[in-house]
Amino acid sequence: MKRGLSLSGIPVSPGVAVGKAVLWFSREDTAPKRSLEKADIAREVERFRAGAEAAAREMETTAEQVAIRLGPEYAAIFQAHALFLRDRAYLAPIERRIEAESVNAEWAVAAATESFAARMRDLPDEHIALRAADLRDVGVILRRHLGEGGDAPVKMEDLEGESLILVADELTPSDAVKIPRDRVVGFLSERGGKTSHASIIARSFGIPAVVAIPRLLACVADGDLLIIDGREGVVWREPSEDVLALFRERQEQEATQERTLKAKSTGKTVETLDGEAIFVRANIELVSEVRDVLDYGADGVGLFRSEFIYLSSEGEEFPDEKTQFAIYEQTVRELAPRPVVIRTYDLGGKKGARTIVGAEEINPVLGLRGVRLCFKKPEMFRTQLRALLKAAPSGELRILIPMVSGVEEIRRVRAMLEEERDALRQDRFEIPDVPLGAMIEVPSAAITVDMLLPDVDFLALGTNDLIQYTLAVDRANETVSELFCPHHPAILRLVARVAEAARKADKPVSVCGEMAADPIFFLVLVGLGIREFSMGPRSVPVLKEFARSISSAEAAKIARAALSLSTPEEVAALLNREAHNLLVAAGARSRSGEGPG
Ligand code: PEP
Ligand code: MG
């Protein structure tokens, strides 16, 4: 391999990391995808044919053995598998995919099998529809014969060594949350976006990461020495000594800067130059992050993504009431008297969809996700509500509901919550009234926010999903990442609408989507009337410092100007200009010794 190659992608988690590459193949939903050079395609098709032939022979041998041991009706299953593995109607589309998309055989098998199985399932003939599951099995056997993943580790916990950099096609949320923080110093992926959950977790864990790097898996091999520049989105493979020394120096500088800002972020609420109180809370996924919330001086937790309790656990069972209670109780107790907003399970979508929903969804992000899934699984939901209610006496707990699309869903949740609370009180538990809030992340909820407000105690704007659903841009799809614009006029209008309605109803509203952690967007959000924010713990000190340096009246003027513009480009130009002016003004203030600097 050549030395000194550099690759670039979307920077999603800042910082510099130096380490050894470990190719990571998720076993969850898809096969690893690798792009091939044109010259390697014919060899890949040959490898695929040999794998299919070996798999077919294995099925025939299995059929013979099963016929003797269990009888011919059982053997028929494996004979049918062997027939599939020799059927050109199944094999030819896979070969075409390898050739047309220049991809590895494992990926082509997984993708072609999935679309074949989906078509079979939709056929009116029930017998054929049921064979779709058999075909999936054939796909798995075939991938095994292709030696998918080689010797790559299967579980995150099995990763060995230190200073590792994960290199993946895409990191699923459940892989990301299991990253061993003592061994992994960074991650890179071919797919993904800034607000994919893996990227959010990288920021929470303080692990530098770059995603959407074209041809990453074709260019990096296991054991390569890598440098990640998580601010610029650049990766160096096998760097020279000089480059390495340069980045080691930058690593030192960034660590010093972080220490300075952290020392100023003491957990006290900050005020803008004109005296408006601003609350900066933390988003967390795991109870182990409570230490970070305190360390980085956050004003409590604005979003605890509780689904990661399930996603980080082994096995497919939901954590029982006792396990959940212990986690919620510890979190609220250790952070008291700071508020802790715990969001009920937001599963489905890209988070564990197939296993939990129990069916393949063509478009899971628009499917059974969040509160909709909770209604389909009332026992799972009620168990969580009980665990939350029991934890409430230990601190300042608030319950937040994800993916709300209208007031009827909040009413239904409140009724369930009250039933569980009454039952617990009858069992002599002392349960206080717990504030209930709705995430505003589905456009219908933002549009009808005035109708929702009488039924909630607070709101949390989930701008990651609000942008995704309003602009019809998949937040994790790198091919449309340029269109994922927090500063789109439609988003600014929706935020303004929600902030204004909440102000009139005198109910708190926070922003807990990723845009809150970007100073330029933070500025416009303050201008639109937002006073409560929540973000990855490590961003808290920077944004607290920034909040001290702005005036809310100035921010309101900027927001008004932004609302009058019609394209994201115009808004971006305005905000960049204003941010530049602010930096100049802050510099002048600090030189004259006045105000924060
Ligand atoms: C959001 O959608 O903005 C949000 C905070 O929730 P999540 O990122 O977990 O979907
Ligand atoms: Mg969301």
Side-chain angles (χ1 to χ4, degrees):
M1 282 234 174
K2 280 182 283 160
R3 280 176 68 92
L5 178 73
S6 79
L7 305 163
S8 59
I10 303 176
V12 295
S13 181
V16 170
V18 180
K20 290 261 176 220
V22 178
L23 297 199
W24 175 257
F25 299 128
S26 169
R27 296 296 196 271
E28 229 182 39
D29 278 329
T30 65
K33 184 179 185 183
R34 259 176 291 116
S35 317
L36 301 176
E37 302 291 349
K38 283 273 175 268
D40 295 333
I41 291 176
R43 209 172 327 125
E44 191 68 0
V45 173
E46 276 314 306
R47 188 173 77 89
F48 163 67
R49 288 187 181 155
E53 181 52 31
R57 277 203 303 274
E58 184 199 314
M59 288 302 99
E60 281 159 358
T61 313
T62 310
E64 281 165 22
Q65 290 164 349
V66 169
I68 297 165
R69 281 211 327 270
L70 300 172
E73 65 277 31
Y74 292 96
I77 301 171
F78 300 99
Q79 280 153 359
H81 276 28
L83 283 179
F84 265 132
L85 287 160
R86 293 224 160 87
D87 188 344
R88 290 302 297 165
Y90 174 53
L91 303 180
I94 300 176
E95 291 177 11
R96 278 202 296 276
R97 227 175 243 260
I98 297 174
E99 287 164 350
E101 296 178 28
S102 308
V103 285
N104 57 319
E106 289 89 341
W107 169 265
V109 167
T113 307
E114 206 45 67
S115 72
F116 220 98
R119 269 183 280 144
M120 282 167 81
R121 220 189 25 234
D122 290 343
L123 290 175
D125 181 335
E126 200 177 314
H127 183 71
I128 300 184
L130 288 174
R131 299 278 73 80
D134 291 357
L135 183 63
R136 282 222 182 81
D137 198 26
V138 169
V140 171
I141 293 163
L142 183 44
R143 278 158 56 186
R144 181 160 47 73
H145 274 272
L146 290 167
E148 176 182 287
D151 295 330
V154 177
K155 286 186 180 168
M156 281 283 174
E157 319 60 303
D158 295 341
L159 285 172
E160 280 173 9
E162 52 187 52
S163 299
L164 307 175
I165 292 183
L166 296 178
V167 176
D169 173 39
E170 186 178 29
L171 219 53
T172 64
S174 45
D175 281 340
V177 80
K178 289 182 200 137
I179 286 177
R181 290 158 80 176
D182 54 339
R183 277 159 281 160
V184 172
V185 294
F187 89 73
L188 306 171
S189 65
E190 245 180 59
R191 294 196 281 155
K194 204 164 183 153
T195 57
S196 319
H197 281 95
S199 306
I200 293 175
I201 289 167
R203 288 194 284 280
S204 284
F205 286 5
I207 298 176
V210 180
V211 305
I213 306 172
R215 302 185 35 73
L216 171 69
L217 290 162
C219 299
V220 175
D222 255 322
D224 281 353
L225 178 66
L226 301 176
I227 297 177
I228 302 182
D229 178 346
R231 177 159 308 150
E232 300 301 327
V234 178
V235 179
W236 297 81
R237 199 203 63 206
E238 295 297 327
S240 66
E241 286 301 323
D242 291 350
V243 174
L244 202 56
L246 209 76
F247 276 96
R248 293 254 188 239
E249 199 178 312
R250 239 191 64 195
Q251 234 173 353
E252 290 287 314
Q253 282 166 358
E254 290 188 359
T256 313
Q257 254 168 21
E258 184 178 288
R259 273 196 301 274
T260 314
L261 275 176
K262 218 167 135 184
K264 283 174 129 183
S265 181
T266 56
K268 273 213 229 111
T269 308
V270 289
E271 281 184 5
T272 58
L273 290 174
D274 50 352
E276 282 286 316
I278 303 281
F279 298 89
V280 187
R281 304 200 174 100
N283 291 348
I284 60 170
E285 286 77 34
L286 299 170
V287 64
S288 56
E289 291 175 276
V290 167
R291 213 189 37 228
D292 294 335
V293 177
L294 296 169
D295 264 13
Y296 289 89
D299 304 318
V301 165
L303 173 67
F304 184 159
R305 295 181 164 99
S306 72
E307 61 275 11
F308 283 90
I309 299 170
Y310 167 79
L311 293 170
S312 63
S313 66
E314 289 306 321
E316 291 183 4
E317 291 296 307
F318 282 98
D320 60 17
E321 187 180 314
K322 207 164 132 214
T323 311
Q324 289 190 61
F325 165 74
I327 293 170
Y328 305 146
E329 199 278 336
Q330 182 187 342
T331 311
V332 293
R333 177 170 38 79
E334 289 187 359
L335 289 172
R338 301 169 190 83
V340 174
V341 178
I342 302 187
R343 179 173 76 185
T344 55
Y345 289 147
D346 183 12
L347 287 162
K350 296 212 167 160
K351 286 179 271 187
R354 189 189 296 171
T355 11
I356 303 158
V357 173
E360 196 70 39
E361 291 179 298
I362 302 282
N363 202 345
V365 173
L366 296 179
L368 262 188
R369 183 189 159 183
V371 73
R372 305 167 184 181
L373 182 62
C374 290
F375 290 146
K376 285 270 180 204
K377 298 198 173 282
E379 245 338 288
M380 167 198 91
F381 191 39
R382 284 179 184 274
T383 305
Q384 180 170 38
L385 295 179
R386 278 195 301 278
L388 286 166
L389 287 168
K390 282 187 180 170
S394 299
E396 287 300 314
L397 173 70
R398 297 171 192 173
I399 298 178
L400 178 62
I401 308 300
M403 289 293 290
V404 170
S405 60
V407 68
E408 66 289 356
E409 288 165 341
I410 277 294
R411 290 187 185 142
R412 197 163 155 196
V413 171
R414 197 180 279 284
M416 291 167 95
L417 190 66
E418 282 173 3
E419 276 164 27
E420 294 305 327
R421 186 201 58 199
D422 293 347
L424 287 172
R425 282 180 181 165
Q426 269 176 15
D427 286 343
R428 300 187 187 290
F429 283 98
E430 297 248 336
I431 310 286
D433 286 336
V434 181
L436 178 67
M439 293 275 303
I440 302 294
E441 52 185 348
V442 177
S444 58
I447 293 165
T448 59
V449 65
D450 50 323
M451 292 162 184
L452 247 153
L453 273 158
D455 286 80
V456 294
D457 301 303
F458 66 97
L459 296 175
L461 269 156
T463 49
N464 306 335
D465 279 313
L466 189 63
I467 298 167
Q468 157 166 271
Y469 293 123
T470 306
L471 305 183
V473 175
D474 181 345
R475 61 194 265 190
N477 180 344
E478 66 287 353
T479 58
V480 285
S481 63
E482 306 250 303
L483 301 175
F484 191 92
C485 295
H487 51 288
H488 192 288
I491 303 303
L492 299 186
R493 284 179 186 209
L494 285 181
V495 173
R497 180 186 184 88
V498 173
E500 176 59 11
R503 191 190 58 77
K504 276 199 194 136
D506 198 19
K507 299 218 169 144
V509 55
S510 69
V511 171
C512 58
E514 294 303 296
M515 75 183 281
D518 183 324
I520 290 187
F521 300 139
F522 186 96
L523 175 69
V524 79
L525 290 170
V526 169
L528 291 171
I530 303 290
R531 296 290 179 268
E532 299 186 21
F533 297 83
S534 194
M535 58 195 65
R538 275 155 225 269
S539 299
V540 169
V542 181
L543 274 299
K544 278 196 162 185
E545 178 70 2
F546 182 72
R548 286 192 202 101
S549 73
I550 61 173
S551 133
S552 69
E554 273 301 310
K557 257 199 240 160
I558 296 168
R560 268 197 302 279
L563 280 171
S564 71
L565 300 173
S566 46
T567 68
E569 290 72 25
E570 287 165 5
V571 177
L574 169 85
L575 296 182
N576 282 324
R577 201 169 52 241
E578 293 299 340
H580 175 77
N581 292 345
L582 269 172
L583 283 177
V584 173
R589 264 197 313 278
S590 78
R591 276 192 301 279
S592 69
E594 159 215 336

